[in-house]
């Protein structure tokens, strides 16, 4: 079993920055990839934000965040990060981290992941 715990959310003004962390634990933690998803207010979907291959560090981003957000990881700490810059009110959402071992599936596909955290709220005021 794998446990994922997000932290670092909060309230920030438009144009500001936040850094989210996702700490993983569990004896079976050995992901192929990890990712961040978000659920905006009033939307049932969890939208892909960005992801990273755990071994190589290769990243993939959703179009509206590319150039503003950076996904990184520290393998020694079993922790993934999401650096969010130039935040906009439309970035307001609950942010979830996810980990998965499946291959042959797009990093942006929610089906690629086996475990999700409980989420952390990010609110961007205008």
């Amino acid at each position: 079993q794998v446990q994922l715990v997000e932290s670092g959310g909060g309230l920030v003004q438009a144009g500001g920055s936040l850094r989210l962390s996702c700490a993983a634990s569990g004896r079976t933690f050995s992901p192929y990839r990890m990712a961040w998803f978000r659920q905006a207010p009033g939307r049932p979907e969890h939208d892909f934000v960005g992801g990273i291959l755990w071994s190589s560090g290769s990243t993939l981003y959703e179009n509206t965040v590319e150039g503003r957000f950076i996904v990184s990881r520290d393998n020694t700490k079993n922790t993934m990060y999401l650096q969010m810059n130039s935040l906009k009110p439309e970035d307001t959402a609950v942010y979830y981290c996810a980990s998965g071992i499946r291959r042959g599936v797009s990093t942006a596909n929610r089906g690629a992941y086996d475990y999700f955290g409980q989420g952390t709220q990010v609110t961007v005021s205008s």
Side-chain angles (χ1 to χ4, degrees):
Q1 194 74 358
V2 172
Q3 293 80 41
L4 303 175
V5 178
E6 302 95 338
S7 61
L11 173 65
V12 63
Q13 288 189 331
S17 298
L18 278 177
R19 188 195 196 203
L20 306 183
S21 299
C22 173
S25 61
R27 290 197 300 171
T28 59
F29 180 71
S30 182
Y32 175 63
R33 74 187 103 204
M34 294 189 71
W36 291 95
F37 289 80
R38 64 186 178 185
Q39 184 180 27
R43 284 177 55 84
E45 298 87 357
H46 288 66
D47 298 317
F48 173 75
V49 176
I52 189 166
L53 298 185
W54 197 248
S55 178
S56 70
S58 177
T59 54
L60 177 71
Y61 296 96
E62 190 271 330
N63 287 343
T64 64
V65 308
E66 188 155 20
R68 299 189 297 125
F69 291 9
I70 300 172
V71 179
S72 62
R73 90 284 190 238
D74 185 334
N75 305 58
T76 65
K77 297 181 179 179
N78 286 349
T79 301
M80 177 178 63
Y81 304 97
L82 180 65
Q83 177 66 43
M84 302 186 293
N85 302 317
S86 301
L87 281 160
K88 305 175 181 180
E90 51 264 42
D91 293 318
T92 294
V94 177
Y95 284 71
Y96 299 87
C97 65
S99 71
I101 62 172
R102 292 181 180 84
R103 304 190 183 209
V105 182
S106 170
T107 293
N109 187 332
R110 196 168 185 270
Y113 303 93
D114 308 291
Y115 299 100
F116 287 81
Q118 293 300 305
T120 185
Q121 176 71 47
V122 172
T123 302
V124 185
S125 63
S126 57

